Amino acid sequence: MQTAHAHRPSANRNQPEFDAVVVGAGFSGLYMLHRLRQLGVTTRVYEAGGGVGGTWYWNRYPGARCDSESWVYCYSFSDEILQEWTWTERYPSQPEIERYLNYVADRLDLRRDIQFNTRVTAAAFDEATGRWLITTDAGEQVWATYFITAVGCLSADNLPAFKGLETFQGEWYHTGRWPQEGIDFTGKRVGLIGTGATGIQVAPVVAEQAEHLWVFQRTPNYAIPAHNRPLDPEFIRQLKASYGEVWEIVRRSAAGLPIEPVERSALAVSPEEQRQIYEAAWQKGGFYFLFETFNDILVNPEANETAAAFIRSKIRETVRDPEVAELLCPSDHPYGTKRPPLEHGYYEAFNRDNVTLVDVRKSPIEEITPTGIRTTDGEYPLDIIIFATGFDALTGPLTRIDIRGRGGVALAEKWVSGPRNYLGVAVHGFPNMFTITGPLSPSVLTNMPAAISQHVEWIADCIGYLRQHGYRGIEATADAEDRWVAHANEAAEQTLYPRAKSWYIGANVPGKPRVFMVYVGGLQNYRARCQEIASKGYEGFSLTPEAALAVGAG
Ligand code: NAP
């Protein structure tokens, strides 16, 4: 949409001005602030929560734990921090990650530039001056040359519109907005809706406390054992002595994990060898089952079925009641095409007398009543309902902010048929806006801190380049954006990912366009492409010299 006159957001023109405004103080916002400071860029970070952590501030539900191993679920940029900080478990719990991010914030003295308890509600680009006007929920407005979103991929919670929820007399919670003070489930009848990575973590922990837990399952998932364990001092000593090599492997890998690629098809080995390989990965636990077994699980349906069948055989071995075991066996999507959860006693929980699986595929939830949940099979009386129903992923955290680019065009309007951007980091029509781990970047298909670090460093280098070369503005061209969207779509089409009704494709939110929103080409390849683009003077971007803007603003 073109307007005759440059679009100007309305504001008092004497608002405070920063070089950069960053939205969010999780893994990405904290590191972005640190890098911007090193460049001498004045920065204000806004954070909706009362502390640092982002995802790890809000998702403090029982059992919340990271599915990446602690020693790589962290920053790699500072040797001091790597040596000073000591992880205690293979998979870090939410409190430990929150402590880590607080430690980093203190260590780098980041808090003085972060305004907590403040949500950014709007950001509008002023064409005359090439600046962004950012508005918060406190009614505050500030100007910034660079508008950087560090809002995470899974921060806009998805609460399905269940009829009657407002009438429920008990307590209810969404896992992504868990109360700071925690919840005591002792003696309570608890209903858990959702069996994604979150619900699978919640169930065994709540089962240990609650009088009874009903798990309302619509789609069973393929969960792999995590085999969490405390880290012993010798492991830590060796790790700290060899961190350089660990990060080298991470940087070479597609998923940002210390896993070397395998060059072996599941269909090229005998059934016995195949089972041995799966069994070894099962015993090891974690994402190794997906990434260290065979290289065609995510691209070949037949190969995928061998992994799926193995997992089903494990579920049947673990769950004593054969009917319950069958209900827990997934078959409607290929393994790995929904984010594969790790489990800490999930399947065993169904062997407890106080846990019941409710099949809401067969008997859907009709409504929430004042006293519980009613499915087409009858009512389940409950004291507490937990919604582990996920997120309006990837685009939701951005489109829930009223972001307007050139011509006053809203990002939500531009993305009405799915996200469109260049490299997942820049959007045509939205100059000087950078989206850390935005849609169509590798993000959630990787170990997040690895993807975040790559984006933050690339953005910082880009801003450094602009300042050094006298540019005030940078904007993805329409052509580069079209090519990136086409490339990202093509890459996804070559995999099995689009075959699942997952949040990767927007299928979990009614009315959301079905577009695969993540770049599947691998973090290592993506990093190389981003470096190449930068080395060519930011190919696919148009750069605005300071002088040109000064004239335009006249
Ligand atoms: P999710 O994967 O979207 O799962 C939501 C669950 O809620 C699904 O089982 C879904 O069923 C169910 N659901 C949604 N609406 C429903 C309805 N109206 N009726 C009945 N069931 C309904 O969300 P999540 O488990 O919160 O996980 C989201 C992502 O967060 C994960 O995939 C992962 O990337 C991340 N995560 C990471 C970690 C970690 O590493 N620490 C831990 C947890 C989560 P359907 O499948 O039938 O739609």
Side-chain angles (χ1 to χ4, degrees):
M1 195 201 310
Q2 291 293 326
T3 47
H5 301 289
H7 179 82
R8 306 204 71 173
S10 59
N12 170 352
R13 310 206 66 77
N14 299 320
Q15 305 294 358
E17 167 142 18
F18 297 90
D19 292 330
V21 158
V22 175
V23 190
F27 260 102
S28 41
L30 294 177
Y31 186 28
M32 193 75 245
L33 170 60
H34 177 61
R35 292 300 288 237
L36 291 170
R37 268 196 197 161
Q38 289 177 327
L39 288 170
V41 170
T42 61
T43 305
R44 158 83 50 95
V45 178
Y46 289 109
E47 166 54 57
V52 301
T55 293
W56 296 106
Y57 177 86
W58 297 106
N59 283 267
R60 49 182 78 240
Y61 57 82
R65 194 177 281 285
C66 183
D67 289 346
S68 291
E69 284 155 326
S70 56
W71 56 89
V72 289
Y73 196 79
C74 56
Y75 297 117
S76 56
F77 65 86
S78 159
D79 269 344
E80 290 80 19
I81 290 177
L82 287 170
Q83 295 302 323
E84 285 168 22
W85 181 263
T86 298
W87 293 105
T88 64
E89 290 180 272
R90 178 179 180 185
Y91 296 97
S93 65
Q94 177 274 333
E96 187 162 27
I97 302 171
E98 196 184 14
R99 272 199 303 280
Y100 168 75
L101 290 171
N102 273 282
Y103 152 77
V104 172
D106 290 334
R107 181 72 171 73
L108 302 175
D109 187 24
L110 298 176
R111 283 177 217 279
R112 62 187 156 87
D113 291 322
I114 307 172
Q115 187 169 317
F116 292 103
N117 300 306
T118 309
R119 185 175 288 280
V120 168
T121 53
F125 184 69
D126 179 26
E127 290 174 64
T129 59
R131 295 183 307 173
W132 283 88
L133 180 68
I134 290 100
T135 306
T136 74
D137 59 357
E140 187 185 356
Q141 291 193 311
V142 297
W143 292 98
T145 303
Y146 307 108
F147 174 59
I148 305 174
T149 63
V151 291
C153 301
L154 295 159
S155 53
D157 49 298
N158 172 43
L159 184 67
F162 288 109
K163 188 177 152 210
L165 176 58
E166 69 291 349
T167 69
F168 184 56
Q169 312 256 291
E171 301 160 43
W172 65 266
Y173 306 97
H174 188 282
T175 48
R177 287 281 174 276
W178 202 260
Q180 293 277 326
E181 62 281 9
I183 305 299
D184 184 5
F185 294 99
T186 314
K188 304 284 188 191
R189 298 163 303 172
V190 182
L192 167 66
I193 304 179
T195 53
T198 301
I200 282 174
Q201 289 186 337
V202 170
V205 180
V206 171
E208 278 179 15
Q209 259 189 39
E211 181 190 301
H212 201 95
L213 172 69
W214 284 267
V215 178
F216 294 85
Q217 171 191 274
R218 192 165 63 182
T219 312
N221 227 316
Y222 298 94
I224 303 293
H227 296 314
N228 189 31
R229 56 180 155 80
L231 297 178
D232 62 62
E234 179 51 23
F235 176 88
I236 295 287
R237 194 193 59 73
Q238 286 182 18
L239 172 76
K240 289 191 176 181
S242 60
Y243 243 136
E245 291 152 49
V246 173
W247 294 122
E248 266 318 301
I249 304 173
V250 167
R251 272 188 266 276
R252 283 202 299 271
S253 84
L257 288 167
I259 299 179
E260 301 278 14
V262 279
E263 302 298 340
R264 176 172 62 193
S265 161
L267 307 176
V269 297
S270 69
E272 198 192 320
E273 197 183 338
Q274 191 189 72
R275 191 158 179 97
Q276 278 168 3
I277 290 169
Y278 282 138
E279 183 65 36
W282 189 267
Q283 294 310 330
K284 195 169 176 181
F287 290 130
Y288 299 96
F289 189 87
L290 181 60
F291 295 123
E292 223 180 40
T293 49
F294 301 105
N295 67 358
D296 46 0
I297 291 178
L298 289 170
V299 290
N300 181 327
E302 227 184 306
N304 190 286
E305 180 50 29
T306 65
F310 181 91
I311 299 170
R312 284 183 218 117
S313 74
K314 288 293 187 183
I315 297 172
R316 291 180 186 122
E317 271 172 31
T318 310
V319 179
R320 284 201 290 270
D321 181 327
E323 269 180 47
V324 176
E326 257 354 272
L327 264 181
L328 287 165
C329 283
S331 57
D332 77 334
H333 62 282
Y335 165 61
T337 55
K338 287 187 168 192
R339 154 69 154 71
L342 301 192
E343 59 95 14
H344 306 256
Y346 177 67
Y347 293 119
E348 281 89 348
F350 292 97
N351 293 333
R352 298 173 65 109
D353 292 338
N354 71 333
V355 177
T356 306
L357 185 64
V358 181
D359 179 4
V360 296
R361 170 84 58 202
K362 191 169 122 244
S363 313
I365 296 173
E366 282 191 324
E367 66 174 331
I368 293 176
T369 67
T371 50
I373 292 178
R374 184 160 56 229
T375 72
T376 53
D377 251 5
E379 179 161 353
Y380 297 84
L382 299 169
D383 302 306
I384 300 178
I385 302 175
I386 302 173
F387 293 94
T389 47
F391 303 90
D392 180 356
L394 297 148
T395 49
L398 294 165
T399 55
R400 287 185 188 187
I401 303 172
D402 183 11
I403 300 176
R404 288 174 188 268
R406 277 191 291 108
V409 173
L411 187 68
E413 193 183 311
K414 172 164 174 148
W415 285 2
V416 74
S417 306
R420 301 191 62 76
N421 61 27
Y422 183 34
L423 300 171
V425 77
V427 184
H428 175 66
F430 296 75
N432 288 2
M433 178 175 93
F434 298 95
T435 52
I436 303 174
T437 63
L440 305 185
S441 75
S443 71
V444 290
L445 294 182
T446 76
N447 170 36
M448 282 305 289
I452 285 168
S453 298
Q454 184 272 337
H455 257 191
V456 166
E457 287 158 18
W458 190 89
I459 293 166
D461 289 350
C462 176
I463 290 175
Y465 177 94
L466 298 177
R467 287 160 70 92
Q468 204 185 346
H469 292 81
Y471 292 112
R472 190 178 166 95
I474 183 164
E475 181 181 351
T477 66
D479 185 46
E481 181 170 279
D482 288 348
R483 277 185 281 115
W484 182 254
V485 173
H487 170 62
N489 289 343
E490 264 166 43
E493 286 305 322
Q494 286 164 23
T495 70
L496 302 180
Y497 281 113
R499 298 191 183 198
K501 290 184 193 145
S502 68
W503 56 258
Y504 294 142
I505 204 161
N508 65 327
V509 176
K512 199 166 169 172
R514 300 280 175 101
V515 177
F516 196 80
M517 295 181 285
V518 198
Y519 181 59
V520 302
L523 184 57
Q524 82 287 37
N525 299 324
Y526 174 81
R527 176 184 289 107
R529 183 80 190 105
C530 289
Q531 272 167 359
E532 188 192 352
I533 285 165
S535 70
K536 291 181 175 166
Y538 294 91
E539 186 183 51
F541 289 91
S542 59
L543 307 182
T544 316
E546 289 283 357
L549 257 173
V551 172

